[in-house]
Amino acid sequence: MSQPTTELNLTLTLEEKTLLAEDVVELKFKARSTLPPWEPGSHIDLLLGPDLARQYSLCSDPQDRRYLKVAVLREPESRGGSQFVHDELKEGEQIQIRGPRNNFPLVDSPRYQFIAGGIGITPILCMIREAERAGADWHLLYGGRRRDSMAYVEELAQYGDRVRIQPQDEEGILDLDSVLGAPRDDTAVYCCGPEVLLDAVETKCSSWPAGALHVERFAPKKLGDDVVDTEFEVEFARSGITATVPAGISILDVATENGLFVLRSCSEGVCGTCETVVMEGEPEHRDSVLTDEDRKEGCFMPCVSRACSDRLVLDL
Ligand code: FES
């Protein structure tokens, strides 16, 4: 899995809060000194309060190291994060930030097909700038409910016909066949957006070369109805602690109960913060962030993933 270029723990000042589109605000954070480098696709954790950490993709220019920008959609089902950002967070306030971490790195490619749904445009925006700088052939298909709910439409206008904006109330659902209908071996496909879009793109790309598709999820993948928890034993190899993981309790919670400190953020298998490595045993991966290749290398998210074997040894 791609690790952060440099992981920060910073206090930054919210310099500007701007309404970009219906229910979308952009937050521009100013650093006291030059920020370390980061790459397109990276996200940061905003530490909005005790037990209130939320991940947002960076959408500023990685080459401008004075600021970090994120855009936040007001989620109707907000668990506190987006509601706090929209209603409480004020310009001039200081905020703790952790990251950047990159689970969605832009691979080198002569051609890119970007697909964004709604607020999923944020990591794609950085990637487009990078693809443009690299002189790659790229195209973006960008959908949203209505034009006035879609952030960065004006900024994207500069790219002319490389960008196709498709508000659903004007043109219906995204025309994926037009961009993914014929598999190509010279194209990296990047998609970020709601689960229904990611599922559709994954289906369309099933006949594309392995590794062509790169997705980033905001919410955990749904587990099948037949997925059940069973009890197993975990050994935290570095700490020399062995414990039982009961059904319904995560490995991460068992680690914490046993006095281990493991960094966590989403606790949903989405952000990659709690990543560790399986040393022995057969893992049952339930995260929504690791690639097949990451899993083959032993990467593991103990906030959600469990064991198929009776015993798992982790590098914790
Ligand atoms: Fe986010 Fe585990 S805490 S993946």
Side-chain angles (χ1 to χ4, degrees):
M1 188 174 178
S2 176
Q3 288 303 304
T5 41
T6 308
E7 184 148 329
L8 311 171
N9 275 291
L10 283 181
T11 303
L12 301 184
T13 303
L14 177 58
E15 188 169 86
E16 285 176 29
K17 178 177 171 182
T18 310
L19 187 66
L20 285 186
E22 183 187 313
D23 284 336
V24 180
V25 288
E26 182 185 78
L27 307 178
K28 179 180 176 185
F29 295 104
K30 187 177 180 194
R32 250 185 248 135
S33 53
T34 303
L35 290 160
W38 56 275
E39 295 166 354
S42 299
H43 70 263
I44 52 173
D45 291 355
L46 299 190
L47 308 182
L48 299 169
D51 298 325
L52 192 56
R54 293 291 181 267
Q55 299 79 45
Y56 298 104
S57 294
L58 289 169
C59 56
S60 40
D61 184 344
Q63 295 203 346
D64 185 342
R65 308 253 298 277
R66 297 167 299 168
Y67 304 102
L68 293 176
K69 284 186 192 173
V70 298
V72 180
L73 170 70
R74 182 193 288 278
E75 302 280 357
E77 311 270 306
S78 174
R79 290 172 297 142
S82 73
Q83 183 270 331
F84 180 86
V85 165
H86 275 257
D87 298 338
E88 319 242 349
L89 196 57
K90 305 265 185 315
E91 289 179 354
E93 286 185 23
Q94 297 204 316
I95 191 152
Q96 304 285 323
I97 284 174
R98 191 165 60 210
R101 172 173 287 270
N102 196 356
N103 299 333
F104 194 37
L106 187 68
V107 296
D108 288 337
S109 176
R111 187 173 183 276
Y112 297 97
Q113 176 62 58
F114 298 111
I115 301 168
I119 197 66
I121 190 62
T122 50
I124 301 291
L125 202 59
C126 291
M127 293 180 175
I128 283 171
R129 294 191 199 110
E130 188 62 30
E132 185 75 6
R133 263 187 213 120
D137 180 21
W138 64 268
H139 298 272
L140 166 66
L141 181 61
Y142 175 22
R145 286 173 291 122
R146 290 187 309 282
R147 191 172 291 272
D148 60 8
S149 71
M150 297 170 70
Y152 300 112
V153 168
E154 281 177 22
E155 176 168 346
L156 290 166
Q158 67 180 298
Y159 298 116
D161 58 10
R162 285 195 182 277
V163 174
R164 183 169 165 206
I165 306 282
Q166 201 182 335
Q168 194 169 347
D169 66 338
E170 295 173 25
E171 299 188 45
I173 59 167
L174 279 183
D175 181 9
L176 296 178
D177 277 336
S178 66
V179 295
L180 300 176
R184 299 180 58 137
D185 57 12
D186 64 345
T187 302
V189 180
Y190 277 79
C191 180
C192 187
E195 194 63 26
V196 62
L197 174 64
L198 299 177
D199 288 348
V201 168
E202 282 178 337
T203 302
K204 294 276 179 213
C205 282
S206 55
S207 55
W208 280 61
L213 175 62
H214 307 259
V215 299
E216 181 165 68
R217 289 186 145 76
F218 298 138
K221 273 192 216 173
K222 294 216 168 15
L223 299 174
D225 292 338
D226 52 345
V227 172
V228 287
D229 284 4
T230 51
E231 185 176 292
F232 59 94
E233 190 179 86
V234 65
E235 180 182 333
F236 302 113
R238 276 200 241 173
S239 333
I241 294 172
T242 297
T244 299
V245 182
I249 306 289
S250 74
I251 297 176
L252 205 49
D253 286 340
V254 171
T256 305
E257 281 163 16
N258 280 274
L260 303 189
F261 175 73
V262 185
L263 208 56
R264 71 161 83 196
S265 184
C266 70
S267 298
E268 293 185 311
V270 172
C271 72
T273 305
C274 67
E275 181 178 345
T276 184
V277 170
V278 176
M279 302 171 74
E280 277 175 46
E282 197 183 338
E284 184 198 338
H285 294 286
R286 294 187 180 181
D287 68 274
S288 306
V289 61
L290 293 172
T291 63
D292 290 345
E293 207 167 294
D294 297 329
R295 291 175 179 180
K296 271 186 216 145
E297 288 171 6
C299 301
F300 184 80
M301 297 299 166
C303 63
V304 289
S305 294
R306 304 185 64 83
C308 299
S309 48
D310 294 339
R311 187 163 172 275
L312 205 59
V313 181
L314 298 179
D315 186 23
L316 286 173

